[in-house]
Amino acid sequence: MTDSAEGSAEASAYPLAGPREVRAWLWTVATTNRAAFAAMLTLFGLATGAGLVGPWVLGELVESVRRGAATTAVDLLALLFVGVLLVQAALRAWARFVAAVFGERLLAKAREDLVHHAVELPLDTVETAGTGELLGRATSDVDKLDEGLRQAAPEIVIASVMVLLTAVAMVITSPLLALGALVSVPLLVVLTRWYRPRAVPVYERTLASWAKVHASAHETVVGGRTVEALGLGGRRRTHHDAAMRTAVAGERRSGQLWGVFLAGLDAAALLPIAVLLLFGAWAYQAGLVGIGEVTAMVLYAGALTEPINEVLGWMDELQIGHAALRRVLGVGKVPPDTGDPSVVPAGRRIELRGVRFGYRAGRDVLHGIDLAIEFGERIAVVGPSGAGKSTLGRLLAGINPPDRGEVLVGGVPISALPLERRRREVVLVTQEQHVFTGTLRDNLTLPRSASDEELHDALRAAGASDWALRLPDGLDTRLGSEGVPVPPAIVQQLALARLVLADPHTLVLDEATSMVDPTVSRGLERSLAAVLDGRTVVAIAHQLHAARDADRVIVMDEGRIVEQGPHDELMAAGGPYAELYNTWDAGTDTVTLR
């Protein structure tokens, strides 16, 4: 288990975008695609207009039959009614297609923005908030946003336009009977004002709960070996079950609220039809309206209540989409790790002054570290598990800034350097490496562009040249899930080849060869010797054979440097290093802790 794992904080949420930021984002996307947006609204208007003609034609048809009109006139009205329905169906299908394309553009923009901001996030922010939280925003939240943008938004636009035009048609057809349709308005207002303030917070909490479920599953899988080695399976299952119970409770609560809201919508849909039938019957008996008007108005009422219910019903999905969009856009609120381009190191000396750091407030992992590393020096950092070795390596590489004190490179704080410049100064290589889907060339040239000769030289230095030469398409062979599987040992060697190409002046190696077979590992270290020559090397020495050849050994215990010096001097002193070394089993590269 690494020191970062020992001190990692419980995942904290990324910020949420505010309503103003959501509106600004939507406005930007809408204006950028104004032609598609205008076409969508036009088609919705035409489809709704065609739908309003149908009830009027049907009313005329009923009135014609009552008057005893000629069969030809009745047949023409019937054919017109069918034609109107067909035109309406065609226009609505076209409008939905345009809306779906428009929604996909919004969704693509949201995904692109999320990826753009995610790759610029400071690594310490990602680890503090939890990779599972970021994964949840990139997967389940984007899925909810997909449903809101591609389904809810178009349906709400269609239904809203239909409500508006239907209301106008009702007033034109019979202002008197139109009053009867207003009976459901108070009920809908009360129902909506009760539902929304309760539902929106539940949606936001539920999405956050599902993000914690993602985080729990992700962390358990990624740390599977640690979980198995320390017998943490039961604790992880308990943790995951608790996260699932919270998420399910949120879903249950939102379902209960939705059930009450849906029952109210059903009542609001039936009430105006019943009122119009009663009111229309009285008005017809009084000679105030004709039977055709009553028929048309009842049909309009049915056509009106349906889109109103659709608007309010789809608003539920839209609220979920809105909550998801706030979470997706919230990633962009984290300031990127840019540094100051004007800061330039004056040399390659590394110095730590009074450095204190903890993954949780009030629980320091490092306690007042003072250390100077000269350029070209070979340092081995040793100590028992949990001593703070890996944490020290992370601060040296500028991945985490110190809580107090300074980490200086060439006299300037490493965290003040732009990220690209920082990686040319100091690079951390751990056992946790990744092969990206793409070609071998793509994976090797992540640090910089390079010629084929440089790539092969880097592979040779990392001990992966023979493997690369056996690939079917050489450097252009696709790797990963869509290509050739990469063994764990080769993954490590490719990471070291990228290190060679990055060409930093200081290397921090934290179990960088731990996944390689022991015999291969020693050969790999020998092959890297020429590459490491002339650079500062800080090796987090979990395997103590690396400490014997170091210029200086730094011994850590409980977050403090307790001893330092060459291997021979420390062994002669008989202090903590000698005790640690004497308990080391060279055959297994393990330390027996007392």
Side-chain angles (χ1 to χ4, degrees):
M1 178 182 292
T2 64
D3 299 310
S4 59
E6 296 164 12
S8 61
E10 183 179 345
S12 61
Y14 292 92
L16 297 177
R20 180 180 300 178
E21 292 160 317
V22 171
R23 288 194 298 268
W25 183 87
L26 291 172
W27 175 255
T28 300
V29 176
T31 53
T32 303
N33 301 277
R34 60 175 64 90
F37 187 64
M40 179 181 68
L41 292 180
T42 300
L43 287 170
F44 285 151
L46 291 174
T48 304
L52 295 177
V53 174
W56 177 82
V57 172
L58 190 57
E60 287 297 312
L61 180 61
V62 172
E63 195 66 33
S64 297
V65 172
R66 188 187 67 80
R67 291 196 306 263
T71 304
T72 303
V74 174
D75 290 344
L76 287 175
L77 286 171
L79 289 174
L80 178 60
F81 179 70
V82 173
V84 166
L85 293 180
L86 293 175
V87 170
Q88 180 194 17
L91 287 172
R92 291 191 69 170
W94 192 6
R96 282 192 170 91
F97 173 76
V98 173
V101 173
F102 182 72
E104 284 291 351
R105 288 178 179 170
L106 265 67
L107 192 62
K109 172 66 173 170
R111 284 182 173 135
E112 289 168 0
D113 288 347
L114 177 65
V115 172
H116 173 75
H117 293 304
V119 297
E120 293 185 344
L121 289 173
L123 287 178
D124 62 316
T125 300
V126 175
E127 295 192 352
T128 300
T131 53
E133 168 73 10
L134 186 59
L135 182 64
R137 295 198 183 204
T139 53
S140 60
D141 289 345
V142 171
D143 288 341
K144 294 297 184 183
L145 182 59
D146 183 14
E147 295 172 8
L149 291 179
R150 291 203 304 113
Q151 298 180 44
E155 293 296 337
I156 287 173
V157 172
I158 293 174
S160 298
V161 174
M162 184 174 291
V163 167
L164 177 62
L165 296 183
T166 302
V168 172
M170 292 179 74
V171 172
I172 293 174
T173 301
S174 176
L176 178 63
L177 294 180
L179 295 174
L182 298 177
V183 68
S184 63
V185 172
L187 176 59
L188 292 174
V189 170
V190 171
L191 193 63
T192 303
R193 290 176 65 87
W194 173 85
Y195 176 70
R196 287 191 60 189
R198 290 168 172 78
V200 173
V202 171
Y203 292 144
E204 292 181 351
R205 288 196 299 269
T206 302
L207 288 173
S209 297
W210 281 116
K212 291 182 179 180
V213 172
H214 283 291
S216 176
H218 177 74
E219 292 164 1
T220 301
V221 172
V222 171
R225 287 190 298 274
T226 301
V227 170
E228 182 179 0
L230 299 181
L232 301 177
R235 290 174 57 182
R236 294 306 303 174
R237 282 192 294 271
T238 300
H239 182 274
H240 190 75
D241 289 345
M244 281 293 298
R245 282 195 298 271
T246 302
V248 170
E251 294 287 357
R252 183 181 297 111
R253 176 57 179 162
S254 63
Q256 291 170 345
L257 292 172
W258 173 244
V260 175
F261 186 60
L262 191 60
L265 291 182
D266 290 339
L270 296 174
L271 188 59
I273 296 176
V275 170
L276 277 176
L277 287 172
L278 295 174
F279 188 36
W282 171 82
Y284 176 72
Q285 292 292 336
L288 300 176
V289 296
I291 189 66
E293 289 177 89
V294 175
T295 302
M297 291 298 289
V298 170
L299 291 173
Y300 278 137
L304 182 64
T305 53
E306 180 181 355
I308 288 178
N309 288 351
E310 286 186 358
V311 168
L312 296 175
W314 280 110
M315 282 296 293
D316 189 62
E317 288 293 336
L318 193 62
Q319 290 296 334
I320 297 175
H322 180 268
L325 182 58
R326 290 186 65 197
R327 289 170 56 79
V328 170
L329 296 182
V331 176
K333 296 190 63 164
V334 180
D337 189 0
T338 55
D340 185 353
S342 65
V343 175
V344 178
R348 299 177 176 179
R349 186 173 190 263
I350 297 177
E351 190 174 0
L352 287 78
R353 299 176 180 172
V355 168
R356 301 182 73 90
F357 175 79
Y359 295 98
R360 297 184 183 182
R363 296 182 61 180
D364 286 350
V365 176
L366 299 180
H367 307 273
I369 299 293
D370 292 299
L371 178 65
I373 302 174
E374 302 297 334
F375 173 65
E377 194 173 8
R378 302 296 178 91
I379 301 291
V381 182
V382 304
S385 178
K389 304 184 298 296
S390 294
T391 300
L392 177 64
R394 295 172 62 82
L395 268 66
L396 286 171
I399 292 176
N400 295 97
D403 296 333
R404 278 179 284 176
E406 295 180 302
V407 179
L408 306 174
V409 176
V412 301
I414 189 171
S415 57
L417 296 174
L419 186 59
E420 185 177 350
R421 177 61 185 264
R422 197 182 310 165
R423 294 297 170 256
R424 293 201 303 268
E425 301 289 332
V426 183
V427 169
L428 171 68
V429 181
T430 72
Q431 63 175 328
E432 298 176 2
Q433 301 300 332
H434 183 67
V435 173
F436 294 90
T437 299
T439 65
L440 174 58
R441 185 191 308 276
D442 294 336
N443 274 272
L444 292 175
T445 54
L446 289 172
R448 64 177 179 87
S449 299
S451 65
D452 287 5
E453 183 179 357
E454 289 176 305
L455 297 180
H456 283 295
D457 286 344
L459 288 167
R460 193 174 300 110
S465 180
D466 292 342
W467 173 82
L469 291 174
R470 292 194 298 269
L471 295 175
D473 298 316
L475 294 172
D476 295 316
T477 302
R478 292 189 65 82
L479 306 179
S481 58
E482 297 180 1
V484 175
V486 183
I490 299 297
V491 172
Q492 289 285 300
Q493 291 171 311
L494 293 182
L496 293 172
R498 286 196 290 258
L499 178 87
V500 172
L501 291 166
D503 196 26
H505 67 69
T506 298
L507 309 177
V508 180
L509 307 179
D510 187 0
E511 294 191 280
T513 62
S514 64
M515 293 180 65
V516 185
D517 180 83
T519 58
V520 177
S521 176
R522 290 182 175 82
L524 174 57
E525 290 171 0
R526 285 193 298 270
S527 68
L528 280 175
V531 177
L532 300 179
D533 186 44
R535 292 184 172 89
T536 304
V537 179
V538 179
I540 310 299
H542 298 271
Q543 301 174 354
L544 291 186
H545 68 78
R548 291 177 295 198
D549 300 324
D551 298 327
R552 183 162 42 128
V553 179
I554 305 296
V555 185
M556 296 190 66
D557 191 19
E558 296 184 353
R560 294 178 173 84
I561 295 177
V562 296
E563 195 176 27
Q564 58 179 302
H567 168 79
D568 292 339
E569 290 184 8
L570 295 181
M571 289 298 294
Y577 177 73
E579 181 181 1
L580 189 70
Y581 194 88
N582 289 329
T583 61
W584 170 54
D585 184 346
T588 61
D589 277 328
T590 60
V591 175
T592 303
L593 300 180
R594 296 177 179 175

